[in-house]
Amino acid sequence: MMPPAPALAGRGLFGTLPDGTPVEWVTLVNRRGAAARLIGLGASLQALWMPDREGRLADIVLGHDDLATYLANRTFLGAIVGRYANRLAGGRFALDEKSYQTPCNDGPNCLHGGVKGLDLVPWTLFSHSPNDAVFTYQSPDGEEGFPGTVDITARYHLDEDNILTVEITATTDAPTVINLTNHAYFNLGSAGAGGDILDHELTLAAAHYTPVDGTLIPTGEVRDVTGSPFDFRTPHRIGARIRDAGEPQLLLARGYDHNFVLDAGGGREPAFAARVVDPFSGRTLDLFTTEPGLQFYSGNFLPGNLPGKGGRLYRQSDALCLEPQKFPDSPNQPSFPSARLEPGQVYRHVSSYRFGIAD
């Protein structure tokens, strides 16, 4: 049985898939008491305990208590998503004048890899230690319509400074497109306490974002955030402008569900992307990443009947996502950073989630 508290590092059986494949859990801990629990389905972050200003630990990510609930409710909670995170228009893209079709599981578009993306497959727990866990998965050629056999590794590392680093690497045996990210839903006040994230204060290191059409596909424009509800270059409460009926982009997405163009994104080493502060608990999150874009999602589509951990139901704005990634629909947008991966190249994504306490 999976232990309810993060006191000790460990490993065990989380559940069994219908075909008999076991899905393991593993818990990472540090000497300060912080802990992260991961499961093999989707190499997902199932729980994350961090201290508040009084030193009290609480779980600050959304998740489910059992495997059956993950399988019955696909909301990507904490998972590694792909092969192409975010949306592909019409599920289509072309490489070297050859067209590929992926499943359209989000209206007319492909979302997070299709009907059975990386979030729904069992990853292998390759190795683990008290501070470190490595998951691997081989995505076969043609899986969900994507070309090339792709070998993927996701490493989670929890250090003694309460920094959780996620490093994702991938190689391919044929030209392909790839865009991977972790889809954790954060509520710094505690995922089980009953509050939402509208009073969280958000800072984004982004002077531009990519507006979307009615199906949430980028239009191709890179728009200046100045004077709009998308300007988070200085801290703003997430709820302060989210209901601005004069902003068409907020109407389309029912809130924030947009890619921000990071000012210092796309480098070899992680650069500052975002800061979140919960004024009540005092918890802070500083995100550094190597990726060029950051999808900020305010939990707009969480249904009120989604069963969460500890008997809680998750609803709209109960958590937020900060998803470092390539831009949505990049394979169909020549002006966006390329998501192409060639044989002999290594896809590498590093994101560092640095937790602390507000001054």
Side-chain angles (χ1 to χ4, degrees):
M1 178 180 294
M2 185 177 63
L8 298 172
R11 175 180 183 176
L13 181 66
F14 187 67
T16 304
L17 293 174
D19 66 0
T21 302
V23 173
E24 293 187 281
W25 61 263
V26 61
T27 300
L28 313 180
V29 299
N30 66 17
R31 288 191 290 269
R32 301 172 68 176
R37 181 173 294 139
L38 311 159
I39 61 171
L41 186 76
S44 301
L45 180 64
Q46 188 264 347
L48 181 65
W49 291 270
M50 286 291 165
D52 65 7
R53 62 165 59 92
E54 306 299 330
R56 296 171 297 202
L57 289 172
D59 184 3
I60 60 170
V61 297
L62 304 193
H64 301 301
D65 285 325
D66 58 75
L67 183 60
T69 310
Y70 278 97
L71 297 176
N73 300 274
R74 193 189 184 198
T75 46
F76 313 102
L77 302 186
I80 301 296
V81 293
R83 280 194 200 184
Y84 201 92
N86 218 307
R87 294 173 175 87
L88 288 169
R92 295 183 297 271
F93 63 92
L95 283 174
D96 301 325
E97 300 183 352
K98 182 177 180 180
S99 296
Y100 295 89
Q101 180 67 56
T102 62
C104 294
N105 60 319
D106 183 55
N109 306 315
C110 179
L111 175 66
H112 294 328
V115 173
K116 190 177 181 181
L118 299 180
D119 57 298
L120 288 177
V121 300
W123 293 55
T124 299
L125 180 55
F126 178 77
S127 65
H128 75 98
S129 68
N131 293 97
D132 204 79
V134 177
F135 293 88
T136 60
Y137 178 70
Q138 184 176 83
S139 178
D141 179 34
E143 186 170 46
E144 295 297 279
F146 290 92
T149 297
V150 175
D151 289 290
I152 309 168
T153 299
R155 179 191 181 204
Y156 291 87
H157 181 78
L158 177 64
D159 75 7
E160 299 303 324
D161 294 318
N162 292 349
I163 300 173
L164 180 68
T165 298
V166 183
E167 181 174 4
I168 311 168
T169 58
T171 59
T172 181
D173 66 356
T176 193
V177 296
I178 195 161
N179 182 31
L180 308 175
T181 193
N182 179 273
H183 204 299
Y185 284 75
F186 294 100
N187 184 321
L188 298 186
S190 170
D196 59 37
I197 49 82
L198 297 179
D199 284 324
H200 284 29
E201 295 172 354
L202 176 66
T203 305
L204 296 175
H208 298 84
Y209 77 105
T210 52
V212 295
D213 65 16
T215 68
L216 303 185
I217 291 291
T219 63
E221 178 187 358
V222 175
R223 184 177 296 176
D224 192 324
V225 300
T226 302
S228 79
F230 293 85
D231 191 348
F232 286 94
R233 289 174 294 180
T234 57
H236 282 81
R237 284 180 53 252
I238 291 171
R241 301 169 296 178
I242 198 170
R243 304 194 192 283
D244 182 351
E247 173 49 70
Q249 287 293 306
L250 293 176
L251 296 174
L252 289 173
R254 303 185 191 178
Y256 297 102
D257 191 8
H258 294 78
N259 169 64
F260 285 76
V261 180
L262 296 175
D263 295 339
R268 180 68 184 171
E269 297 303 319
F272 176 71
R275 177 175 174 82
V276 185
V277 178
D278 173 34
F280 303 109
S281 70
R283 291 186 185 92
T284 64
L285 164 59
D286 289 281
L287 172 61
F288 289 70
T289 186
T290 54
E291 296 306 286
L294 180 70
Q295 188 82 6
F296 165 44
Y297 172 53
S298 51
N300 318 326
F301 300 101
L302 284 171
N305 61 351
L306 178 64
K309 290 176 287 190
R312 175 164 167 74
L313 293 175
Y314 297 145
R315 57 178 173 75
Q316 186 181 48
S317 299
D318 270 359
L320 64 91
C321 298
L322 298 172
E323 306 161 61
Q325 57 190 262
K326 302 291 190 292
F327 295 1
D329 200 37
S330 284
N332 299 311
Q333 305 269 1
S335 64
F336 287 0
S338 175
R340 182 172 177 135
L341 183 68
E342 300 279 357
Q345 295 179 333
V346 177
Y347 168 92
R348 177 177 176 267
H349 168 161
V350 181
S351 290
S352 178
Y353 302 83
R354 307 179 184 188
F355 296 93
I357 302 298
D359 296 332

